[in-house]
Amino acid sequence: MYRFLLTPRWWGINVFTVLAIPVCLFLGTWQLGRFETRVDSHRDQQTQAEDARTAAAEPLADLLPVSTVTSGRRARATGHYDTGHQLLVPDRQLDDRQGFYVLTLLRTDGGKALPVVRGWLPGDANSPADTAKVPAPPAGDVTVTGALQASESPTSKGVNASGGLPSGQLGVISAASLVNLVPYQVYDAWITTPTATAPMVPVPPAAAPNSGLDLKAFQNLGYTGEWFVFAGFVVFMWFRLFRREVEALRDEELGITPDGSSDGPDDARQKRSPAGAA
């Protein structure tokens, strides 16, 4: 009855099934591991953010380059603000309100400049009435502390990467975006200060890239379910083909033709008798 399992066609089906199931399970387990890693990273990021609020500020050079470990930690830098290159970062939301960041470059003692987000203001960065509310940065040498942040990318949340912004505005906070706007080198990082001069509001630090429960984390969870479903589908299709093959063999033994008719004893005798016999 089950000799058909040894035919070349079924050898191919069996080999594919035996290989496909562990591959699907492995990929599903791998995606689940990625999701769990992001959950752990999100938990660590929250703990790190809480610790950073009370920890002493560290020299900026000790925290660079920015990583998932150093992102959000309090950094300290000394220098003077470049009032001639203050920039507004439009289309940034805070507490579901639309507004803009106020970014000023801090010329550090080391020569490089550190982008400092001094705060957020509600309104439109293109409105003279709203931009007139921006307070001037402190003059002279200052020591600035704030949460260290990685440079943004065009795909970062809230970023305006469409281009075509007017002079004095910046869409992406990164060294690559600033290199053509200022005549000096810029750190590949930025900080957001914990306090802001009124009427500005402090900008809370964001989670490090590729960490936390972001869209990619839930994509990993979705892919996990898909691969496990694929494994179940392979088993289901193998069983369905197997059952159909067995039913076809049983029908053949009973003399049932594929069109649903059956050959009775008289029909069988007529087929065996010579044509035209009396």
Side-chain angles (χ1 to χ4, degrees):
M1 173 66 74
Y2 302 131
R3 285 186 175 180
F4 66 86
L5 292 174
L6 300 178
T7 60
R9 172 173 173 266
W10 271 94
W11 264 108
I13 294 174
N14 292 335
V15 169
F16 172 80
T17 302
V18 170
L19 294 177
I21 291 175
V23 168
C24 290
L25 293 178
F26 169 78
L27 292 174
T29 304
W30 179 69
Q31 290 288 353
L32 181 60
R34 292 288 300 275
F35 173 74
E36 291 175 344
T37 299
R38 290 183 179 276
V39 171
D40 293 339
S41 176
H42 176 68
R43 186 182 300 111
D44 294 341
Q45 191 75 22
Q46 288 183 319
T47 303
Q48 181 177 317
E50 291 294 331
D51 295 341
R53 293 190 182 97
T54 58
E58 302 174 65
L60 175 66
D62 294 347
L63 300 176
L64 296 178
V66 186
S67 65
T68 54
V69 176
T70 60
S71 177
R73 289 169 63 172
R74 295 185 65 198
R76 181 180 70 250
T78 302
H80 64 275
Y81 281 117
D82 182 3
T83 57
H85 291 95
Q86 181 162 268
L87 300 167
L88 304 181
V89 186
D91 303 325
R92 297 302 177 105
Q93 288 189 346
L94 185 63
D95 297 331
D96 296 328
R97 294 187 300 165
Q98 194 73 11
F100 54 91
Y101 293 168
V102 178
L103 184 147
T104 312
L105 290 160
L106 180 74
R107 298 291 304 273
T108 66
D109 297 339
K112 281 188 175 182
L114 174 66
V116 178
V117 172
R118 298 194 295 120
W120 173 91
L121 278 172
D124 186 356
N126 296 312
S127 170
D130 292 333
T131 57
K133 301 176 184 178
V134 176
D141 289 340
V142 293
T143 297
V144 181
T145 61
L148 186 65
Q149 301 284 268
S151 288
E152 295 179 333
S153 69
T155 58
S156 298
K157 183 179 179 181
V159 165
N160 183 351
S162 59
L165 295 175
S167 176
Q169 294 188 18
L170 181 71
V172 183
I173 306 175
S174 69
S177 300
L178 289 163
V179 68
N180 295 322
L181 299 179
V182 295
Y184 41 76
Q185 291 185 319
V186 180
Y187 283 108
D188 190 18
W190 58 283
I191 65 172
T192 173
T193 58
T195 59
T197 305
M200 293 190 301
V201 178
V203 175
N210 299 319
S211 68
L213 297 179
D214 54 7
L215 178 60
K216 290 184 178 180
F218 290 103
Q219 285 179 339
N220 292 138
L221 186 61
Y223 294 150
T224 298
E226 287 180 2
W227 283 116
F228 288 151
V229 169
F230 289 159
F233 181 74
V234 170
V235 175
F236 168 76
M237 288 304 300
W238 184 93
F239 179 75
R240 184 176 180 181
L241 292 173
F242 173 79
R243 187 177 64 178
R244 188 171 66 179
E245 192 84 18
V246 171
E247 290 175 349
L249 290 174
R250 288 176 178 171
D251 291 344
E252 185 178 346
E253 290 178 355
L254 295 174
I256 301 175
T257 59
D259 61 1
S261 61
S262 60
D263 294 334
D266 294 339
D267 294 332
R269 283 196 297 270
Q270 289 179 3
K271 290 181 178 180
R272 288 194 298 270
S273 63

